[in-house]
């Protein structure tokens, strides 16, 4: 089992440390691990994601579910934060997502435009902001410049910055795909190099190695791959994404391997709310049981 990263090792300003301490030790299990509920899919994928359980299309239901489930925070876009978060402000931490795009255009030159700023996050009582960075996109020049402005504003205001480090673009698709070990490993390192406080990554698939660099062409277990992804992030805390809905045992194994690798926590959305209320809470309870085994004093 890898040693988990502590806040004192992260080089944080006082404001960032205070907000992350509140998220990690005053909410959820309060043991330094994290379980976040993302709800930005309505923009990113459209309302089709709510067909599995139509009540999930109601943002108020989702914020209440985050509170009932004992999540460390909920990640939502600015419009939903302004209209729905105030009902539960202070009861469950807000991660304000600053950028996002639809999935209608191709991802060949993916770029996620800004819709909010760090000052909006302060106004809304957020404890962190989220930024999607498309690693490998031909639009990376514009993406990096946009990200740099957000990072500087977050540093000035003492707001933790969580980077959704997502490999995208035609070159990525020709080198194993967006969730290959190569792509996810690279994305974790890029987020750290560019100053993320926390990085959200997909779980790597080492079996996807068509035309990847030679170093990734060998045989790696899923545990070895996620170990290396967390190591690549060094002093940036890692959250592992749930991704598309999958079987429960598959998700529990993913959670177990991620936490064993030294991840700070999990950020599971569709696997939580694409099911009825009581089943969602039972699923979350199993995730919390896994997190409880990995306290960070």
């Amino acid at each position: 089992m890898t040693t988990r990263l502590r806040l004192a090792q992260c080089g944080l300003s006082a404001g960032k440390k205070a907000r992350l301490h509140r998220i990690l030790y005053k909410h959820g299990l309060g043991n330094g691990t994290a379980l976040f509920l993302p709800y930005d899919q309505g923009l990113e994928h459209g309302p089709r994601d709510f067909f599995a359980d139509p009540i999930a299309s109601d943002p108020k239901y989702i914020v209440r579910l985050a509170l009932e489930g004992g999540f460390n925070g909920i990640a939502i876009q600015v419009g939903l934060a302004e209209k729905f978060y105030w009902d539960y402000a202070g009861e469950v931490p807000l991660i304000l997502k600053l950028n996002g795009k639809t999935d209608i255009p191709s991802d060949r030159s993916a770029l996620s435009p800004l819709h909010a700023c760090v000052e909006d996050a302060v106004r809304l009582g957020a404890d962190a902001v989220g930024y999607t960075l498309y690693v490998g996109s031909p639009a990376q020049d514009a993406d990096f410049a946009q990200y740099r402005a957000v990072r500087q504003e977050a540093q000035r205001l003492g707001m933790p910055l969580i980077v959704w480090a997502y490999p995208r673009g035609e070159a990525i698709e020709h080198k194993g795909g967006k969730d290959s070990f190569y792509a996810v490993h690279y994305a974790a390192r890029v987020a750290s190099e560019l100053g993320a406080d926390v990085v959200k990554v997909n779980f790597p698939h080492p079996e996807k190695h068509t035309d990847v660099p030679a170093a990734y062409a060998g045989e790696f277990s899923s545990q070895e791959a996620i170990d290396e992804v967390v190591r690549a992030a060094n002093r940036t805390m890692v959250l592992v994404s749930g991704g598309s809905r999958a079987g429960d045992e598959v998700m529990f194994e993913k959670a177990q391997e991620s936490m064993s690798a030294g991840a700070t926590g999990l950020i599971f959305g569709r696997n939580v709310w694409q099911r009825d209320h009581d089943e969602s809470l039972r699923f979350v309870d199993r995730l919390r049981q896994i997190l409880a085994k990995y306290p960070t004093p």
Side-chain angles (χ1 to χ4, degrees), residues 101 106-112 132-144 166-173 190:
K101 69 172 188 61
S106 163
D107 272 347
R108 283 181 296 181
S109 297
L111 178 65
S112 187
T132 295
L133 184 72
Y134 286 129
V135 177
S137 170
Q140 71 176 11
D141 288 359
D143 204 355
F144 285 3
Y166 284 170
R168 289 292 189 275
E170 191 172 6
I172 289 291
E173 292 306 317
V190 168

Side-chain angles (χ1 to χ4, degrees), residues 2-117:
T2 305
T3 302
R4 210 160 316 284
L5 190 63
R6 291 176 169 85
L7 281 180
Q9 298 173 294
C10 296
L12 300 167
S13 68
K16 288 189 176 193
K17 185 178 179 183
R19 288 181 169 94
L20 282 173
H21 186 276
R22 185 159 55 237
I23 289 173
L24 297 175
Y25 293 99
K26 302 299 181 182
H27 294 274
L29 290 171
N31 69 347
T33 63
L35 180 60
F36 291 104
L37 187 63
Y39 189 61
D40 56 344
Q41 293 86 351
L43 172 62
E44 298 288 345
H45 308 150
R48 69 175 184 270
D49 275 358
F50 309 131
F51 285 164
D53 187 23
I55 190 63
S57 66
D58 180 359
K60 186 173 182 178
Y61 168 78
I62 297 295
V63 181
R64 187 171 64 249
L65 184 65
L67 182 61
E68 292 176 326
F71 281 82
N72 295 78
I74 182 168
I76 52 179
Q77 293 280 351
V78 64
L80 299 189
E82 290 179 337
K83 292 178 173 64
F84 294 95
Y85 178 69
W86 61 269
D87 284 334
Y88 300 95
E91 298 181 63
V92 60
L94 169 65
I95 295 88
L96 184 66
K97 195 72 193 305
L98 301 184
N99 64 339
K101 69 172 188 61
T102 71
D103 74 349
I104 298 170
S106 163
D107 272 347
R108 283 181 296 181
S109 297
L111 178 65
S112 187
L114 285 170
H115 312 295
C117 64

